[in-house]
Amino acid sequence: MVATPVRTPAEQALAARYPAERTSLPGTADVIAIRDAAFGGVEKSGLPHRRVEDWKYTDLRARLKTFPPAAGPGDVARVLIAAPAVEGDKARRLVIANGRYRPELSDLEDLEPGLSIFSLATALEAGDATVLAALKLDDAVASNTAVALNTAFMTDGLVIDVAEGAEVGRPVELVHIAEGEPAASTAVRHLVTVGKAARLTLIETIESLDTVAHHSNVMTVLEVGEGAKVDHIRLQLEPDEAVSLTTLVARIGREANFDTFNAALGAGLARAQIFAEFAGRDAQAGFRGITMLSGRRHADTTLSLIHGAENCQSRELYKAVIDDEARSVFAGRIAVPAHAQKTDARMMTASLLLSEEAEADAKPELEIFADDVQCGHGATCGAIDEDLLFYLLSRGIPKVEAESMLILAFLGEAIDEIQNQAVHDALIHRVEGWLKARAA
Amino acid sequence: MLEIKNLHARIGDREILKGLTLTVKPGEVHAIMGPNGAGKSTLSYILAGKEDYEVTEGEVLLNGASILDLEPNERSVAGLFLAFQYPIEIPGVATMTFLKAALNAHRKAKGQDELTTPEFMKLVKGVAEKLNITSDMLKRPVNVGFSGGEKKRAEIMQMALLQPSICILDETDSGLDIDALKVVSEGVNALRAPDRAFVVITHYQRLLDHIVPDIVHVLSDGRIVRTGGPELALDLEKNGYAAYVADAAA
Ligand SMILES: Nc1ncnc2c1ncn2[C@@H]1O[C@H](COP(=O)(O)OP(=O)(O)O)[C@@H](O)[C@H]1O
Ligand SMILES: [Mg+2]
């Protein structure tokens, strides 16, 4: 006999929401069909729990207490005056408020030649063939619960194209803001295509103006063209009450150069997923991130990289600082198929535990089928080094300040890889804020 | 200035200091010599406040007040400085950031304002120059990539910046060639003052040619077993520690 699991309140809310919303979500009949298929999968399996390998350490079924209703349009005036998360980066800010792209709040002046920016909702309504094609994902990605929920409920997002050879000088910053009470859900999908030999710096910030249990689900599908250079940085900054799911899907073309950085600084429950693939030979990629946790927060970074072409190089570096009873999860899987000779991959994760109750789980995995490769992984976990601390104290530096210096040094190895100075500085500022709050 | 009375200390089950008594007055330079494993570094760590050791008996007074309950940083701002035998490398912490934090902690304790960046830079550069510390070294993370001798010079630079009242130098001569030894000794001698005292821990007499002590002690098996003038160091150089090791074992 197969036991029918009891639906949790979150699952019940989902089951009620989708049928009620499906026809009012943007998109043609084709889009609705894609949404139906995605939701059907979630409906059938329920929310993933700890016996589902990919969600072993982040039991979504147990942790998601509710699934709030879809967000309303929000108070645009409040969004307008919200202080930017990154100052001085001269970025082109594109505002997505409560899951809706707001061109009137966005900087669309003097678009660089070759850069085009459209609303996903408009494209879905128009049944744009290219956009529809871009919604198609590999099964492993499409069936992931966070992705499937995104597909089912996505309201809007940006379709960004950088033409072949175009160098977009100003970073493009996708500013996600949740506004209003009570708690609401948003699902946003971005489709970014960077053409051959083009350049783009793409920044994402995700924040909320209210300390309520908003759920955000932001997914970015990135196509990095042959010989293109793309720098992607995400600052995830929601309040402790929030739930934050993010997904990056990246296809990295031949001879391309790609970096992605995730700063998991917010939300009570956060999961950052990366599905990346080398689609052409001689490419390079860096996957890095930091997580800072306190209280009872839980943050999960799950990376799946298919080193699918010859002579590609990747570096993975994830660092977590965990205080109080918080828990950090890192799961990194690198697959090297038989034809991907000369693969060079080095994955490292390190966790710094600041309290007895803090927890870090690391699950690095390599699946290697090629024989001429250089692959390695390492995971470390420990408290602040007492000898380093003693040295700083012995020079008169008070304990919390000394600890802050050492924590910053620990994270610096990852943060200092961020090329964009303004984002780097903004992040350091956030980290210092976190450390000050801890010291207080 | 510094009074150590009948100090007993252990690490785990092992007693390392076994009733050590020592009094250092302002302006004095004391040398502590002794065989390897005598407890010299242990003494210096306990004075600086390292947690691993348990003081089971005795007391340590700095300017009349007990320091055993003070945190290491509180001892530092109270005027105690330890130049480590093995200065540790701290990757990711910039030397200048570190020096500034240390200096400002000391200034704050004295009720002084923080230095401005130009004032701070000027101060550090002046001190660094005298110790042959290049601006390239100052740009690196704390002690990272420094040679043994560079680390020792960096310790003396920190000492010169923080202007402590009691300086404990743990084998500052080890790993130094003759030129570096001179530079370091000059750095130390320049700091000699009527209101400042030094405890110079060394295994060899060599350093004491340059930093001439007022009083020499022999530390063996956790106790001061002999005290004398500078001539005691010469005697040790000639005859070794054998006599004292035997004494302690007896
Ligand atoms: N962390 C420790 N654990 C156990 N024994 C120690 C530790 N540190 C030092 N000792 C022991 O204490 C004794 C004194 O060591 P130390 O103070 O370093 O001697 P010195 O500096 O005079 O050479 C030695 O026998 C040494 O082995
Ligand atoms: Mg020693």
Side-chain angles (χ1 to χ4, degrees):
Chain A
M1 201 185 88
V2 179
T4 314
V6 180
R7 278 187 173 170
T8 64
E11 286 168 339
Q12 286 170 22
L14 276 170
R17 267 192 57 187
Y18 186 71
E21 292 171 26
R22 68 188 274 275
T23 51
S24 51
L25 287 161
T28 56
D30 289 337
V31 176
I32 295 179
I34 295 171
R35 293 184 190 275
D36 285 350
F39 190 76
V42 179
E43 175 94 300
K44 195 163 152 232
S45 57
L47 291 171
H49 44 75
R50 64 181 191 281
R51 287 183 306 281
V52 176
E53 191 56 28
D54 280 355
W55 297 84
K56 184 172 171 185
Y57 300 108
T58 301
D59 186 328
L60 205 58
R61 190 164 190 267
R63 286 179 178 275
L64 270 192
K65 298 295 174 223
T66 63
F67 205 92
D75 180 349
V76 171
R78 279 187 76 207
V79 174
L80 183 64
I81 58 169
V86 181
E87 305 259 19
D89 62 347
K90 301 192 183 70
R92 179 182 297 288
R93 290 198 171 80
L94 307 175
V95 176
I96 301 102
N98 286 8
R100 293 158 179 83
Y101 169 42
R102 293 289 190 177
E104 73 276 23
L105 302 182
S106 301
D107 177 356
L108 297 166
E109 268 176 42
D110 303 322
L111 286 188
E112 284 95 336
L115 174 64
S116 69
I117 295 170
F118 297 102
S119 141
L120 179 81
T122 309
L124 294 177
E125 287 289 9
D128 183 299
T130 324
V131 166
L132 248 62
L135 295 182
K136 176 110 187 69
L137 300 160
D138 289 346
D139 285 347
V141 180
S143 63
N144 172 277
T145 303
V147 172
L149 288 173
N150 188 280
T151 305
F153 289 104
M154 61 188 170
T155 46
D156 205 347
L158 289 154
V159 180
I160 299 175
D161 262 297
V162 182
E164 183 174 328
E167 297 204 3
V168 180
R170 292 173 68 193
V172 172
E173 186 171 322
L174 309 178
V175 180
H176 304 85
I177 297 182
E179 190 283 330
E181 292 183 39
S185 300
T186 54
V188 172
R189 172 84 52 102
H190 304 296
L191 304 174
V192 182
T193 309
V194 182
K196 188 171 171 179
R199 276 167 177 267
L200 177 70
T201 295
L202 183 68
I203 301 164
E204 295 184 38
T205 60
I206 306 177
E207 55 196 318
S208 166
L209 299 186
D210 302 284
T211 51
V212 293
H214 284 303
H215 280 218
S216 73
N217 184 327
V218 177
M219 175 161 166
T220 302
V221 179
L222 189 53
E223 193 76 37
V224 183
E226 204 176 303
K229 181 167 166 43
V230 175
D231 203 358
H232 172 251
I233 304 153
R234 189 195 297 117
L235 304 182
Q236 186 251 307
L237 307 165
E238 299 105 312
D240 288 4
E241 291 77 4
V243 173
S244 179
L245 303 176
T246 62
T247 305
L248 172 69
V249 178
R251 254 173 75 85
I252 306 156
R254 180 173 176 150
E255 289 171 41
N257 198 313
F258 173 61
D259 280 289
T260 179
F261 188 98
N262 186 61
L265 302 182
L269 173 60
R271 169 142 158 148
Q273 316 187 118
I274 299 174
F275 298 93
E277 179 179 3
F278 282 111
R281 54 175 298 151
D282 304 327
Q284 280 185 14
F287 301 85
R288 297 182 184 89
I290 63 162
T291 297
M292 298 189 89
L293 294 173
S294 57
R296 308 200 57 166
R297 291 175 47 215
H298 177 108
D300 174 329
T301 301
T302 292
L303 164 71
S304 164
L305 169 62
I306 301 172
H307 245 278
E310 254 182 83
N311 198 37
C312 291
Q313 190 199 66
S314 73
R315 292 291 177 265
E316 295 76 25
L317 179 62
Y318 287 88
K319 295 211 151 186
V321 173
I322 314 153
D323 203 356
D324 305 327
E325 294 161 66
R327 184 172 179 193
S328 163
V329 175
F330 173 78
R333 183 170 56 224
I334 299 180
V336 185
H339 65 272
Q341 300 295 3
K342 307 269 186 234
T343 287
D344 175 357
R346 230 166 285 165
M347 175 159 58
M348 182 68 204
T349 178
S351 303
L352 193 57
L353 303 177
L354 302 181
S355 87
E356 294 284 329
E357 291 80 31
E359 185 177 334
D361 298 292
K363 200 175 78 152
E365 281 178 274
L366 297 174
E367 290 169 19
I368 303 170
F369 295 99
D371 45 32
D372 182 14
V373 301
Q374 280 194 40
C375 293
H377 68 72
T380 65
C381 182
I384 289 181
D385 186 309
E386 288 294 333
D387 291 332
L388 298 180
L389 190 61
F390 176 61
Y391 190 85
L392 296 178
L393 295 180
S394 77
R395 298 321 185 219
I397 302 171
K399 187 165 182 194
V400 281
E401 191 181 343
E403 286 182 341
S404 294
M405 290 169 83
L406 294 174
I407 295 168
L408 199 56
F410 170 80
L411 295 173
E413 196 193 345
I415 296 175
D416 291 346
E417 293 285 339
I418 296 177
Q419 301 300 312
N420 184 294
Q421 192 63 39
V423 180
H424 174 276
D425 295 350
L427 184 53
I428 293 285
H429 189 72
R430 296 270 173 179
V431 170
E432 285 172 347
W434 190 94
L435 293 169
K436 277 209 189 85
R438 174 174 184 264
Chain B
M1 166 154 288
L2 178 69
E3 292 167 84
I4 305 171
K5 295 181 190 164
N6 188 32
L7 189 63
H8 289 255
R10 61 200 309 145
I11 184 157
D13 289 340
R14 174 136 180 232
E15 184 161 57
I16 297 171
L17 298 187
K18 303 173 181 174
L20 190 145
T21 298
L22 177 69
T23 303
V24 181
K25 299 206 182 75
E28 290 179 347
V29 175
H30 289 235
I32 295 183
M33 304 184 71
N36 278 327
K40 303 185 296 296
S41 290
T42 301
L43 172 65
S44 72
Y45 283 145
I46 289 171
L47 293 177
K50 198 166 200 247
E51 266 185 9
D52 312 0
Y53 306 91
E54 189 195 345
V55 172
T56 51
E57 216 184 312
E59 54 182 354
V60 178
L61 307 178
L62 180 60
N63 299 323
S66 172
I67 60 167
L68 288 177
D69 290 332
L70 298 184
E71 295 298 327
N73 58 304
E74 295 170 329
R75 299 181 193 202
S76 172
V77 297
L80 185 140
F81 184 93
L82 167 62
F84 286 78
Q85 180 172 3
Y86 303 109
I88 197 164
E89 299 191 4
I90 312 185
V93 174
T95 296
M96 293 306 257
T97 308
F98 159 69
L99 294 177
K100 199 167 187 186
L103 206 55
N104 282 333
H106 281 253
R107 293 182 66 87
K108 194 172 172 193
K110 291 193 194 109
Q112 297 168 330
D113 286 339
E114 293 196 351
L115 287 177
T116 64
T117 301
E119 285 169 340
F120 167 72
M121 298 294 284
K122 197 167 160 232
L123 186 62
V124 173
K125 288 216 164 110
V127 172
E129 221 161 76
K130 290 200 190 85
L131 289 157
N132 286 347
I133 288 172
T134 60
S135 59
D136 172 60
M137 281 168 71
L138 293 174
K139 279 183 196 136
R140 277 185 252 163
V142 179
N143 293 325
V144 172
F146 288 16
S147 70
E150 286 172 339
K151 283 180 184 163
K152 298 300 176 77
R153 279 188 272 142
E155 294 288 288
I156 304 304
M157 172 181 72
Q158 293 172 28
M159 192 167 90
L161 279 173
L162 299 180
Q163 299 276 314
S165 51
I166 175 90
C167 308
I168 298 149
L169 278 62
D170 190 2
E171 304 224 16
T172 296
D173 51 335
S174 68
L176 294 187
D177 60 27
I178 274 292
D179 293 334
L181 190 66
K182 272 193 185 147
V183 171
V184 163
S185 306
E186 277 164 20
V188 172
N189 288 331
L191 288 171
R192 289 183 72 158
D195 57 353
R196 180 174 295 132
F198 293 81
V199 175
V200 179
I201 295 171
T202 182
H203 191 73
Y204 302 104
Q205 194 268 337
R206 187 176 75 144
L207 177 68
L208 306 182
D209 287 341
H210 301 275
I211 305 171
V212 180
D214 301 300
I215 300 166
V216 176
H217 309 272
V218 179
L219 174 61
S220 180
D221 195 29
R223 264 182 288 244
I224 301 285
V225 294
R226 183 139 176 227
T227 296
E231 72 288 347
L232 179 55
L234 293 166
D235 176 59
L236 286 167
E237 183 78 359
K238 210 162 78 200
N239 299 317
Y241 293 108
Y244 303 102
V245 177
D247 269 10

